[in-house]
Amino acid sequence: MSNISINTTELQQLLDITPAHQNIMLVGAHGIGKSEILTEYFSGKGMRVVPLFLGQMSDPGDLIGIPNRNQSTGKTEFMPPWWFPLDGKPVVLFLDELNRARPEVLQTIMDLALNRTLAGRSLPEGSRIISAVNAGDQYQLTDLDPALVSRFNVVTFRPTVQEWLLWAEREGVDPRVRDFVRENPIWLDRDPDAREGADTGLDKTPDRRAWKRVSDILIRTGEVTPIVTKAVSAIVGPKAAAALVGSISARKILSGREVLQQLERHLKTLRGYELHQLSTVNDGIFRHLEVEVLSGKEKENAKKNVEAYFDFLSREKKEAAAHFASLYVQDTYPKAVSFMARECPILTMSMVLYVKNIAVR
């Protein structure tokens, strides 16, 4: 796949700058949150998102509506489908499973994508069309006509692990699942031992949607019993389930909250961490500040300890300090950066200088 790749933050920026009359096609694996991200983005702008699962449509009538004879004119007209915006307000059509649709359905999409019309009815001004397709030998797909593809701006959508962890924390995903993915990010979207592009058939493998289902079970049951392990295996596969259970049983890496609220207590543990473990802690600190609303004593502890933590890294773990400072100048955690800039101005200057010094070298 030679298309340009973007993450969630870049997708939102792309939607900001792309005119409504230009269509977008997102290429990506199943279960990575395409529809959820689009719904959240456009709902925040007051636009209704209409998901149409084209792979489930048996003929064009499922999309354009059914024919009906106009009694006054004697002509046949198509009754508008349930989703069509008769109120004149612009909508976002999310054409999911575009390359699973039947060829006759795709022919209907051609006119919709080019002229914004469906059975003679025009979409309201400002409406948007976004499609999603899967790519890979493991999917049963319909070849898309190049003329149809040419009517879309095509990008490969690859949301980062950090973005999923931010979403998971906001959505209350079980901390044991979050900690496992944080410490073992390779398990988020696939079985790391599986051959790339292999057709797994009915063999269950992990994806982002599946980990949310795992969380629902863990929250409901609490304890990880043998039957819970089997239930988790049915969702993400036995190997991923075994890795998760092993992670829960073993001692986990310190969370961002633990470091920000009780740094002194955990300094000895932090001194024993390798770079990859401290990088995980760094992400956890930024993610905590991004998601949580701190007040009172918690806020004071966070202000004091984030400064002390970076000072510790600068003196004893310089590579981890460089990673922490690099997170500050990226755009993944804007609320965390705002918190530090507002509450910890000396820390902010220290990190900016740290990054500049690295660049000079």
Side-chain angles (χ1 to χ4, degrees), residues 168 172-179 214-216 218-220 222 248:
V173 170
D174 190 283
R176 291 166 290 183
V177 173
R178 300 200 314 258
D179 288 343
V214 169
S215 168
D216 294 340
L218 291 179
I219 290 174
R220 182 183 180 88
I248 292 173

Side-chain angles (χ1 to χ4, degrees), residues 10-31:
E10 292 168 331
L11 173 59
Q12 293 170 342
Q13 295 169 345
L14 183 71
L15 293 172
D16 284 339
I17 65 173
T18 302
H21 67 271
Q22 294 188 17
N23 309 319
I24 296 174
M25 180 182 294
L26 303 179
V27 182
H30 64 281

Side-chain angles (χ1 to χ4, degrees), residues 132-163:
V133 301
N134 298 132
D137 294 337
Q138 67 269 40
Y139 300 107
Q140 297 180 359
L141 305 174
T142 303
D143 290 334
L144 295 180
D145 190 316
L148 175 60
V149 175
S150 72
R151 300 176 187 188
F152 290 85
N153 304 345
V154 183
V155 294
T156 298
F157 180 47
R158 290 197 178 101
T160 65
V161 175
Q162 289 79 10
E163 288 169 339

Side-chain angles (χ1 to χ4, degrees), residues 214 217-218 221 223-246 248-249:
V214 169
I217 286 181
L218 291 179
T221 59
E223 187 180 355
V224 182
T225 62
I227 191 61
V228 168
T229 301
K230 289 187 176 183
V232 172
S233 297
I235 299 172
V236 294
K239 286 194 289 185
L244 172 66
V245 172
I248 292 173
S249 301

Side-chain angles (χ1 to χ4, degrees), residues 28 69 79 128 188 190 213 219 270 285 289 298 350:
R69 183 173 179 272
M79 299 290 290
R128 305 190 67 149
L188 177 58
R190 65 185 183 92
R213 299 206 303 271
I219 290 174
L270 291 167
I285 289 173
L289 292 176
E298 283 191 342
S350 298

Side-chain angles (χ1 to χ4, degrees), residues 34-44 46-52 82-83 90-95 128 130:
K34 297 184 286 290
S35 60
E36 292 88 347
I37 291 167
L38 291 172
T39 298
E40 181 179 354
Y41 173 86
F42 285 110
S43 295
M47 293 185 70
R48 179 167 68 102
V49 178
V50 180
L52 299 175
W82 63 269
W83 57 265
V91 296
V92 179
L93 292 188
F94 179 49
L95 308 179
R128 305 190 67 149
I130 300 175

Side-chain angles (χ1 to χ4, degrees), residues 64-81:
I64 63 177
I66 60 175
N68 181 57
R69 183 173 179 272
N70 188 314
Q71 297 297 329
S72 60
T73 65
K75 296 181 179 180
T76 298
E77 300 175 349
F78 283 89
M79 299 290 290

